[in-house]
Amino acid sequence: MTPIEDLAQEWLRLDKDASTREEITQLLSKGDNAQLEARLRKRIAFGTAGLRARMEAGFSRMNSLTVIQTSQGLASYVLQKVVNAKSRGIVIGFDGRHNSGKFAKLTAAAFAAKGIRVWWLEILVHTPLVPFSIGELHAAAGVMITASHNPSQDNGYKVYWENGCQIVSPHDAGIANAILENLEPHTWDDVVDEDNLLVESILGRVRDAYFKAIHRIAFIEGDQLSKNTTVPIRFVYTPMHGVGLPYMDRAIKALQLPESMVVVPKQAQPDPDFPTVKFPNPEEKGALDLAIRAADENGIDLVLANDPDADRFSAAVKVSGVWHQLTGNQIGILLASHTLETHRHHHSNSETTTSASQIAMLASTVSSRMLSSMAQAEGFHYAETLTGFKWLGNVAQDLTKSGKYDVVFAYEEAIGYMFPTVAYDKDGIAAAAVFLRACQRWAAAGIASPWDKLQLLYAKYGAFAERNFYLTTPAPAVTEALFDRIRGLGGAEETAAGRAEREGKEEAATHPTHLGPHAITRWRDLTTGFDTATTPRPPDLPVQRDVQMLTVELDNDVRFTMRASGTEPKIKVYVDARASEMKEAERRAQEVGELIVENWLRSGEEDVGPGNF
């Protein structure tokens, strides 16, 4: 094994950033080998989400050197895989976090050094503008420097492919290998400020087109806010110390609501330290406290929020004096309902006709089944995907390319919503605009609030309740052992024929038959590739052997998914219960959550932490 001192000297040889050089120099002088090992022994891993880590010196962290190395590898890979990559260029954007602008400029320099045109978004932008710009400019790829709603000390490097989607396998492995072949920095120059001929600023060009796309989805039914649908909607908005405000301002002007928005002043402007919140994530407890206080002070019953890079969207509604923060699933079903209704209205008044069976909507496997129930009732196509918008975006494109479907909407429970005609990724500004337009339509129809609309949907499609939580584990090996122990509970065995058909493995797949008093009616293991609903055929979703994920259906109309987080030491659990009445659905969700923890997660010898259960 290479001595840590040699790794430190290699870092100092490569790094030209004075601040991070000084960090390693200080650690060497102190003899802090523990910190040196943590920072230098392993490289920061490049995956389908790109990079995300704490900003400090070291090969395992986000810093100028690792950004240059990643950019050089990505540029090399793009040149190999994308036709006419040099002329088609790469879109580069950055948010308001510490060092985002610097990292973006270093990324631009690495691509320009390989002769690739750089489409430069010259001011702070929200993440969805990058994938939108890829489609608008027919670019070869895109990079957004952001860590979304991570803590302030983190940053990230998000990669989009030529189709405007986040990368999936095998591109992640190919890029990771290309990075290892391009570790020697070729340039530290600032090609952006030096007016390099390969760098072209594009913000004005793509921003106008982006808001035209939002206008089209907000007014798909074509009535352009006629007199009977012009309803004043007052609301409080917080960009959560991020970049969202100027984009939200522009979006609401198209809705003729510029005087209706009250902005939370302490959270209005980009601040990379996120001083008023513990975590800059609208889902976190307390994150909307200032916005709700502003709403109460102004007599307003609706709060809207974006996360710092404005790709996520959240909302809270005051009903009979009580505030309800809508879950990602609730917002998702509200947007889906509005989208379906407006598409039907649009096509009923146009020369072209589109039946419900030609419309498609998607949700990830950790999201509520309510969208599936709506699809069964209304006749549109529903597709389930693996977790994350890299899957939702790519599956949406595949469905569109098939020529059978018009994909109009997709969502995931973690407050992410996608409108494919804008971008094949989640978009918090587009979601906010469509949500406000929906509120206007509902109010014009006599539906007082999104909460009231939600109750109507529950009455029509069934009551769905969720119980989502996580528990912590000390190491990936502990997580893997826990999932393997759960697989062995109960002893139900895959048939020999099914086993042979599935993989030719010698050992049988086992799984529990019950969770507490409830029989398991379906067991889907996307780690081992076994699904009782499809055996001997493979599961209906892609198998990922390096990701722990189980989905279980019970005899009381409850379904839950357990998965190991890819970015944190957590086991995440998503419980979805259905019943005719909401109180019963909530009772079932709570009961099953408790059974999972007591009978499975904490019934073994693994060191499982408290989490948020």
Side-chain angles (χ1 to χ4, degrees), residues 35-57:
Q35 268 293 306
L36 289 170
E37 285 284 350
R39 298 194 192 191
L40 296 170
R41 179 63 64 187
K42 294 182 179 180
R43 283 200 62 81
I44 184 172
F46 185 93
T48 54
L51 306 176
R52 193 173 292 188
R54 188 181 181 93
M55 289 178 284
E56 55 189 5

Side-chain angles (χ1 to χ4, degrees), residues 333 368-371 373-374 377 454-465 557 576-582 585:
I333 206 67
S368 170
R369 294 168 296 165
M370 191 170 179
L371 185 59
S373 293
M374 179 188 287
L454 193 60
Q455 307 318 304
L456 294 174
L457 295 175
Y458 287 145
K460 186 174 184 179
Y461 303 117
F464 288 78
D557 210 358
D576 178 51
R578 175 170 48 192
S580 58
E581 300 292 336
M582 181 55 71

Side-chain angles (χ1 to χ4, degrees), residues 463-465 577-579 581-590:
F464 288 78
R578 175 170 48 192
E581 300 292 336
M582 181 55 71
K583 285 187 178 180
E584 175 59 17
E586 291 172 343
R587 187 198 67 77
R588 292 179 186 180
Q590 180 64 26

Side-chain angles (χ1 to χ4, degrees), residues 270-487:
D271 187 330
D273 294 318
F274 313 119
T276 68
V277 291
K278 186 176 182 181
F279 296 104
N281 180 354
E283 289 184 295
E284 291 287 340
K285 185 177 181 180
L288 296 186
D289 284 356
L290 285 181
I292 288 173
R293 187 184 308 165
D296 286 336
E297 291 171 352
N298 287 274
I300 294 173
D301 294 337
L302 178 64
V303 165
L304 307 184
N306 290 129
D307 65 343
D309 68 326
D311 65 347
R312 286 178 169 85
F313 166 72
S314 187
V317 184
K318 191 176 185 179
V319 181
S320 300
V322 178
W323 282 98
H324 299 267
Q325 183 167 355
L326 300 177
T327 69
N329 284 316
Q330 291 172 330
I331 296 172
I333 206 67
L334 286 167
L335 290 171
S337 171
H338 166 78
T339 300
L340 179 64
E341 292 165 358
T342 52
H343 269 74
R344 281 178 167 171
H345 179 83
H346 168 66
H347 288 293
S348 68
N349 292 330
S350 67
E351 295 181 359
T352 60
T353 59
T354 300
S355 68
S357 63
Q358 295 173 283
I359 292 173
M361 299 195 206
L362 293 71
S364 70
T365 190
V366 298
S367 302
S368 170
R369 294 168 296 165
M370 191 170 179
L371 185 59
S372 175
S373 293
M374 179 188 287
Q376 291 174 10
E378 303 294 347
F380 64 85
H381 180 75
Y382 168 78
E384 178 187 8
T385 75
L386 289 176
T387 308
F389 278 84
K390 61 189 177 188
W391 296 105
L392 288 163
N394 280 284
V395 171
Q397 288 201 355
D398 290 342
L399 288 171
T400 300
K401 289 175 184 176
S402 74
K404 297 179 181 179
Y405 303 108
D406 178 13
V407 182
V408 295
F409 177 66
Y411 92 94
E412 184 162 77
E413 60 80 34
I415 59 172
Y417 314 97
M418 180 180 86
F419 297 89
T421 55
V422 178
Y424 283 98
D425 197 13
K426 56 186 177 293
D427 186 337
I429 298 299
V434 175
F435 189 82
L436 284 169
R437 177 68 186 119
C439 289
Q440 290 179 303
R441 286 186 60 253
W442 298 329
I447 301 170
S449 76
W451 187 258
D452 293 318
K453 177 64 175 179
L454 193 60
Q455 307 318 304
L456 294 174
L457 295 175
Y458 287 145
K460 186 174 184 179
Y461 303 117
F464 288 78
E466 61 197 80
R467 180 69 172 91
N468 299 344
F469 60 93
Y470 68 85
L471 299 181
T472 57
T473 60
V478 174
T479 301
E480 184 176 347
L482 187 150
F483 273 84
D484 284 341
R485 176 177 59 77
I486 291 172
R487 290 184 180 99

Side-chain angles (χ1 to χ4, degrees), residues 84-103:
N84 298 324
K86 286 188 176 182
S87 59
R88 289 171 61 185
I90 183 166
V91 177
I92 299 176
F94 57 96
D95 70 2
R97 285 180 175 266
H98 291 295
N99 296 315
S100 284
K102 177 171 75 172
F103 293 162

Side-chain angles (χ1 to χ4, degrees), residues 17-146:
D17 187 315
S19 62
T20 45
R21 282 181 59 85
E22 180 62 19
E23 286 182 44
I24 297 300
T25 300
Q26 289 294 323
L27 292 174
L28 274 173
S29 65
K30 294 176 183 176
D32 192 343
N33 284 358
Q35 268 293 306
L36 289 170
E37 285 284 350
R39 298 194 192 191
L40 296 170
R41 179 63 64 187
K42 294 182 179 180
R43 283 200 62 81
I44 184 172
F46 185 93
T48 54
L51 306 176
R52 193 173 292 188
R54 188 181 181 93
M55 289 178 284
E56 55 189 5
F59 295 120
S60 66
R61 304 294 197 258
M62 277 289 296
N63 49 63
S64 296
L65 178 59
T66 55
V67 165
I68 290 173
Q69 293 172 326
T70 299
S71 300
Q72 291 178 165
L74 176 60
S76 176
Y77 186 79
V78 168
L79 287 172
Q80 294 173 28
K81 299 295 182 179
V82 180
V83 176
N84 298 324
K86 286 188 176 182
S87 59
R88 289 171 61 185
I90 183 166
V91 177
I92 299 176
F94 57 96
D95 70 2
R97 285 180 175 266
H98 291 295
N99 296 315
S100 284
K102 177 171 75 172
F103 293 162
K105 289 181 178 179
L106 291 170
T107 301
F111 276 84
K114 290 187 179 288
I116 300 173
R117 177 183 292 277
V118 173
W119 302 113
W120 179 249
L121 293 165
E122 59 266 31
I123 63 171
L124 305 184
V125 299
H126 67 316
T127 293
L129 197 58
V130 170
F132 173 83
S133 299
I134 292 172
E136 184 71 10
L137 302 172
H138 193 49
V143 171
M144 177 68 188
I145 305 297
T146 181

